Amino acid sequence: MKDLCALLRANAYPGRGIVLGQSAAGVPAALYFIMGRSENSRNRVFVATPDGIRTQARDPAKLSDPSLILYHPVRRLGRALIVANGDQSDTIQDFLERGRTFEEALRTRTFEPDGPHWTPRISGLLLPDGSCRLSILKSAGQAGGACIRQFFEYPAQPGTGHFLHTYLGDGDPLPSFSGEPEAVDMPADFAAAARVWESLHHDHRVALYAAIGGEARVWSRYEEGAEL
């Protein structure tokens, strides 16, 4: 198991990231963060919705293209939590409500159409016992043609989370994540979640959401540690 904060400090630009698992106290826990290099990407905050959160432009006058930056990253469905880096969260919710599966939903989606990066779509489903499923949809090559779809399923393990992010690091084009989600120490409380926020590159970090048990908080470039 790796130190999540150390991994983040060593990577200037992991992009967007999901960590799902179980706290040391045995309750389900989730993290979701966004980073940005452009003014359009950095002009975002997390706001509460009846079932989770959505991204919103902090200054609507500076919003140039909402297509890939405004979405619902977190949706609660019963006692489960859907976490995703794009509007595939809506697709997952729709499929699950119709009795279909996380995997079936994501087989209808592909990576983001933002060549030359072809940003992967990353998604997760956190179940009430702290077990989880994760998925990444990424381009099979630099041309942005075929889509590779990978799915992972993990049991609940106290104090353990599984970390999946969009990029291996900074670059142009940005290099997509590869390999299996990393097993990391899951924050036990919101003080530990705040340390995760501090570990993100200060120039690029935009917002962080943390849910531990039935409580949630957000941090952003503009407001830190707000309760939802």
Side-chain angles (χ1 to χ4, degrees), residues 110-112 118-121 136-141 145-150 176-179:
T110 185
F111 48 84
E112 294 184 353
W118 310 118
T119 298
R121 290 191 189 271
I136 183 168
L137 314 179
K138 59 185 180 180
S139 174
C147 179
I148 296 171
R149 295 179 175 86
Q150 294 176 295
S176 293
F177 179 89
S178 65

Side-chain angles (χ1 to χ4, degrees), residues 111-196:
F111 48 84
E112 294 184 353
D114 64 340
H117 308 299
W118 310 118
T119 298
R121 290 191 189 271
I122 57 173
S123 310
L125 180 65
L126 179 64
L127 298 176
D129 65 351
S131 63
C132 66
R133 297 173 185 172
L134 288 163
S135 168
I136 183 168
L137 314 179
K138 59 185 180 180
S139 174
Q142 294 183 351
C147 179
I148 296 171
R149 295 179 175 86
Q150 294 176 295
F151 299 96
F152 307 90
E153 187 169 356
Y154 297 101
Q157 296 174 279
T160 302
H162 289 89
F163 177 32
L164 178 61
H165 48 99
T166 52
Y167 308 125
L168 291 176
D170 208 346
D172 194 12
L174 289 159
S176 293
F177 179 89
S178 65
E180 182 180 335
E182 296 164 292
V184 297
D185 55 314
M186 195 75 212
D189 51 35
F190 292 116
R195 290 193 290 273
V196 173

Side-chain angles (χ1 to χ4, degrees), residues 90-120:
D90 301 339
T91 306
I92 296 166
Q93 180 187 47
D94 176 61
F95 270 63
L96 293 178
E97 286 180 336
R98 292 190 285 121
R100 300 180 70 181
T101 68
F102 176 77
E103 292 79 9
E104 286 177 305
L106 290 167
R107 289 189 183 107
T108 71
R109 302 300 304 265
T110 185
F111 48 84
E112 294 184 353
D114 64 340
H117 308 299
W118 310 118
T119 298

Side-chain angles (χ1 to χ4, degrees), residues 186-217:
M186 195 75 212
D189 51 35
F190 292 116
R195 290 193 290 273
V196 173
W197 171 246
E198 286 302 319
S199 299
L200 292 166
H201 193 287
H202 285 209
D203 289 342
H204 300 318
R205 67 184 186 179
V206 176
L208 168 72
Y209 165 92
I212 302 173
E215 299 182 42
R217 292 189 186 179

